Amino acid sequence: MVYENMRSGQNIGRIKAAPNLVNICVDEIAQEEMKGRLYHCYKKEATNFTNVVELLDEMEKLYDKLHFPEASTKSRSFLREKDPQQRETIPKVVEPKTVLEQKGTKGTFLVCVQYRQNATWQGEIVLMESEESYEFSSALDLVKIINNTSSF
């Protein structure tokens, strides 16, 4: 089961300091689809999502912009890409404290993706309401944890 790697609050401080920290605020769960807002330090306003695919896509875009964590596989594209040597540094425009203050009505989750290996994500998620942390070994695990710990 997904919950076998649960810890209560012992790594919250480390996660809060992660450069790629995202705060997922789940506001609504209807017909087994979640809606909410995504916050991070590199954008002032929230990014709204209306389903899990949009949420994961926005997170993937952020990690690609940050080049952190670096993806172990590269998506193919017919468009020309920038030379990897000319990567832009993205400045933080919001303090981490402001990101952490946001709350969802059904659940609030801090997510730190530590690796992007085997075409998926590995990392840690903290349910802010209970300060329980869980390790996930894939994006699917991440979604299952959010679904199973959100208030219905």
Side-chain angles (χ1 to χ4, degrees), residues 9-145:
Q10 66 185 12
N11 289 325
I12 291 177
R14 181 178 56 82
I15 288 175
K16 287 180 180 178
N20 63 336
L21 174 75
V22 296
N23 183 355
I24 301 171
C25 298
V26 178
D27 294 323
E28 184 181 338
I29 300 174
Q31 296 153 5
E32 299 194 26
E33 199 61 73
M34 70 177 92
K35 297 178 184 179
R37 298 160 283 130
L38 177 69
Y39 294 92
H40 53 78
C41 293
Y42 304 94
K43 187 176 175 185
K44 288 183 182 179
E45 58 280 336
T47 301
N48 294 319
F49 61 90
T50 58
N51 58 50
V52 174
V53 174
E54 286 181 11
L55 171 63
L56 297 178
D57 187 50
E58 288 298 325
M59 291 174 68
E60 185 78 9
K61 286 177 189 175
L62 173 65
Y63 302 141
D64 285 343
K65 280 184 184 178
L66 294 175
H67 301 285
F68 184 77
E70 192 69 51
S72 65
T73 59
K74 187 176 179 181
S75 298
R76 292 182 180 186
S77 173
F78 291 107
L79 302 174
R80 284 196 112 170
E81 295 183 16
K82 290 184 179 179
D83 183 13
Q85 302 299 326
Q86 297 178 3
R87 291 183 178 171
E88 298 174 24
T89 302
I90 301 172
K92 288 185 177 183
V93 294
V94 177
E95 290 295 318
K97 180 182 176 188
T98 306
V99 172
L100 297 172
E101 290 172 348
Q102 307 303 318
K103 303 290 181 216
T105 54
K106 299 290 183 182
T108 307
F109 304 89
L110 296 183
V111 177
C112 175
V113 174
Q114 296 164 332
Y115 308 102
R116 292 195 293 167
Q117 298 175 343
N118 303 318
T120 192
W121 303 342
Q122 299 81 37
E124 194 164 354
I125 181 171
V126 175
L127 172 58
M128 289 303 292
E129 287 77 13
S130 64
E131 294 191 357
E132 292 176 332
S133 64
Y134 306 90
E135 292 180 356
F136 58 90
S137 58
S138 68
L140 179 60
D141 279 349
L142 173 65
V143 171
K144 284 181 181 179
I145 293 168

